[in-house]
Each structure stands twice: as C-alpha cells, then as structure tokens.
Amino acid sequence: MKRYTGTRGWFLFYFFACLLVLSAGRDSKLMKYETNSSSVYNHTLAMIMVEYASAVYISDMTSLFTWTCTRCRGLTEGFEVVQLIVDVESCLQSFVGVAKDPRAIIIAFRGTRGTSIQNWIEDLFWKQLDLDYPGMEGAKVHSGFYRAYHCTTIRPAILNAVKTAKEVYGDLDTIVTGHSMGGAIAAFCALDLIVNHNVPNVQVMTFGQPRIGNAVFASYYSKHLPDTIRVTHEHDIVPHLPPYFSIIPRKTYHHFPREVWLQDTSSTSNRLASYIETVCDDSGEDPNCSRSVIGNSIQDHLSYYGVEFPTDDPATCWIVMDPAITEYGSIDSEGNVVLFRDLATPVPRMQSLEAK
C-alpha cells in the first residue's frame, strides 16, 4: 500500500480506505429501467453508446480495427471502423467509424489508463482551473483534458476520419462518446467539431465524466451543444471531481447539462435489478441528482447499464496486433499508431489476441 505523508496524505489514505469498504461487489442481475418522462434523453441510444465507450478500451488492435472483439457485438454489430488512433506517449486511444443503427458517425475515446485510477482521482481532488479557453472571455478549463485532445496525435486523426466518412457516406450525424477521462476528451472534441470545423448535428453522450471547466465554459458549451447527455451512476466518485464549491460559483468547476442519474433501487433478495433514470434539470449541477449523494464509489464508476469498464492493468498502455494490419496505417518514432481504412475495401479477418 502506498505510504502518504503530511495532512493531505493522511486524508487521502483515510478516504481510499473508506472506498474499499463502501465499494463492495454486487451480484449479477437482470436489469429493468424506469425513466421519468423526457424528450431529451433516449434510453435505447444510451444502451448502444455505452457499448462503444467500453469497446474503445480494447488493447487488441486487430480485433478492434476489424470489429470482431467480444465487445464489438450486440447493439454495435455491423459497425465499420474508419480510423483507430493510439497515442502511446499520452496513453490515449480513440476510434472513428460509421454505425448502422443509429446511422451516424461514432467517435469514441478511452478513459483513464496509464496510472492507478486512485492516483488519478487523487490528482483531480486538487486540480485547479488553469487554462483560458480560446475565444471565450472568462471561460477556464482543465488544461490536462483540453491538451489531451488538442495537443496530441488524436485531434488531426479524428478530423481527417470525420472528413473521410462524410465524403463516402454523406452528411451523417455525429455522436461523440467516452467514459471517465474519455468523456472529458469527447466534450472538447465535440466542441471543436462544432465551433472550429462547422460540423453540423453533433451529439454527445458520456459516462462517468468529470467536470472540465467553469460556469462560463459550461454555458458556452451548452449553447453550442444542447444535445448532450452526461450519464452518472449512483455514488460514482468521478462526476464529483474536480470539486464544485457553491459559495464561489464563478471560480469553481461546473458541469454542463444535461445529466441523467442512474440509480439502483433493487434489493439484495431480488434477482431483478431495478434502476431509475432521472433526467436532471438544465443547470448542470442539479442538487436532486448525483450531487444529492456522496460520491465515494469506484465500483459505480466502472459499471454503467450493466456494462463493465476495465480496472487498472499493469501494462496499461501496451497494444497488440497482427503485423499484417500495419499496412492499414503507420507507427511513428514515438510508437503512436494510426490505422486508417479504405472504406471501399473490406478489412480481412486476422488473428487477434482474443482468438488465441
């Protein structure tokens, strides 16, 4: 166990010790959902997008690029990957492709990897607003999330893939998704597409996303991307971070709308898991949604709609792939990988790690 020193260290030691107790496992159950009436939230779309947000965690590039992995089935069957990007230096991963249902371009970003999730959460506790968002006076954001999209190999590859997909398939809608840090990057990507590249009809749906900017930024974001859903789950700790301080609303982090809070209402004796989906108000910080509870669960962060997201892997940034698949892209001197598909040519099945 990591040894902490000083007041901050002992506080965190106590906090994470509590997490181990409070985040106890639950039995696998059948699921039933109840949603309060709303025209802004589509439960079926959420069930589809959470599968894409989970699939982007796959380290086997062959099965992901050919869409043959174990997570590449069910509601996402038939998805055609246009581009797969791995920025090894920054431990980031994303894909762009075209879905059959809904008929749209899908962009997905991987969540937190490359460090212990507990260390990452610890950093979020103390992170200050430290970057002025370009072109918007008073808007400040989290520099790490902003730069993860804007200052890596991810952004140019994404823009190229979206352009290619539209040239081949026509002017499809675009849906951007991600879990955890991947949700934060997804938000910056969607805003970039709308504001800087005039891409029409962009939607966002994220899962367990942290706060990324202040109230001015949240207002600016919601003006340009009103079709945004942030799904939170029970006591998931990450949507509570970086902290929101209501006594200094203009200088603190502030979520943009709209949150959908997923609550577990099942009993231990009932094998049918019952969930309520609360569609929250348009403030971004609805006190009757996830802010009404203590965010203290890592387990709730790693499970959405019954879809499990991977926990930390000792080899968090490594990837594997069939050598033949490199003909579809390039690997630069830093080890960053960009695989690009010619949409007129089918990708042949190759030997994947999951098949071994």
Side-chain angles (χ1 to χ4, degrees):
M1 179 176 290
K2 180 178 179 181
R3 186 179 299 275
Y4 296 95
T5 58
T7 303
R8 172 186 169 187
W10 282 111
F11 168 77
L12 290 170
F13 175 83
Y14 175 77
F15 177 80
F16 288 121
C18 291
L19 285 183
L20 293 176
V21 175
L22 293 171
S23 298
R26 299 174 186 166
D27 292 334
S28 175
K29 300 178 180 180
L30 298 174
M31 292 179 289
K32 177 183 178 182
Y33 295 90
E34 296 180 12
T35 307
N36 59 317
S37 179
S38 175
S39 61
V40 301
Y41 169 67
N42 184 321
H43 170 79
T44 301
L45 180 63
M47 297 293 287
I48 295 171
M49 297 315 297
V50 75
E51 293 194 7
Y52 285 113
S54 174
V56 75
Y57 277 88
I58 294 289
S59 296
D60 179 1
M61 298 297 97
T62 305
S63 63
L64 192 58
F65 189 60
T66 58
W67 208 250
T68 56
C69 67
T70 54
R71 297 182 193 174
C72 305
R73 301 168 188 168
L75 298 176
T76 68
E77 188 173 357
F79 181 68
E80 295 182 316
V81 175
V82 176
Q83 189 152 274
L84 175 59
I85 312 108
V86 182
D87 189 303
V88 175
E89 184 178 7
S90 301
C91 203
L92 302 172
Q93 186 165 304
S94 178
F95 62 69
V96 180
V98 177
K100 290 184 176 180
D101 185 19
R103 191 62 174 169
I105 297 170
I106 306 294
I107 306 173
F109 294 90
R110 187 176 68 185
T112 312
R113 301 296 292 270
T115 185
S116 164
I117 192 169
Q118 291 189 349
N119 290 343
W120 181 70
I121 287 171
E122 175 185 334
D123 290 341
L124 282 183
F125 262 103
W126 311 105
K127 187 65 176 178
Q128 301 297 309
L129 291 156
D130 57 358
L131 184 70
D132 295 328
Y133 188 80
M136 184 61 186
E137 185 178 356
K140 298 186 77 68
V141 297
H142 182 296
S143 63
F145 297 147
Y146 176 89
R147 289 171 177 148
Y149 172 71
H150 283 275
C151 304
T152 64
T153 58
I154 293 287
R155 184 185 185 224
I158 293 288
L159 296 176
N160 182 52
V162 170
K163 179 176 180 291
T164 299
K166 285 182 174 291
E167 288 174 348
V168 174
Y169 290 99
D171 196 18
L172 300 177
D173 291 353
T174 302
I175 309 176
V176 193
T177 191
H179 166 258
S180 193
M181 185 178 77
I185 301 173
F188 281 118
C189 172
L191 193 57
D192 181 39
L193 293 174
I194 286 281
V195 173
N196 299 319
H197 300 280
N198 300 313
V199 176
N201 303 321
V202 178
Q203 303 176 56
V204 178
M205 183 171 288
T206 66
F207 307 90
Q209 176 196 318
R211 296 183 179 98
I212 65 174
N214 64 0
V216 175
F217 173 79
S219 177
Y220 177 67
Y221 176 95
S222 61
K223 174 183 176 182
H224 289 281
L225 284 156
D227 199 352
T228 293
I229 294 293
R230 292 183 300 100
V231 184
T232 61
H233 178 209
E234 281 281 24
H235 294 259
D236 182 349
I237 184 174
V238 173
H240 292 258
L241 300 173
Y244 169 80
F245 300 107
S246 58
I247 59 173
I248 50 172
R250 292 185 177 274
K251 296 184 177 180
T252 189
Y253 279 93
H254 193 292
H255 271 307
F256 49 75
R258 181 177 305 258
E259 177 187 2
V260 172
W261 185 32
L262 188 61
Q263 301 163 265
D264 182 358
T265 61
S266 60
S267 64
T268 55
S269 60
N270 188 355
R271 296 297 297 177
L272 177 65
S274 178
Y275 291 89
I276 295 176
E277 298 167 302
T278 301
V279 180
C280 311
D281 67 22
D282 61 359
S283 70
E285 296 288 349
D286 190 337
N288 297 312
C289 286
S290 65
R291 277 191 57 206
S292 67
V293 299
I294 298 173
N296 58 12
S297 176
I298 291 178
Q299 179 176 322
D300 287 347
H301 182 60
L302 299 175
S303 177
Y304 274 76
Y305 299 98
V307 174
E308 301 297 323
F309 290 87
T311 55
D312 289 313
D313 186 329
T316 50
C317 287
W318 66 274
I319 58 174
V320 294
M321 60 183 176
D322 189 314
I325 209 169
T326 58
E327 71 178 80
Y328 292 93
S330 62
I331 302 176
D332 66 18
S333 59
E334 302 295 331
N336 301 318
V337 179
V338 177
L339 300 176
F340 192 84
R341 179 183 174 194
D342 178 0
L343 295 175
T345 306
V347 176
R349 286 185 175 269
M350 300 179 186
Q351 184 69 14
S352 68
L353 177 68
E354 293 187 339
K356 295 180 179 179

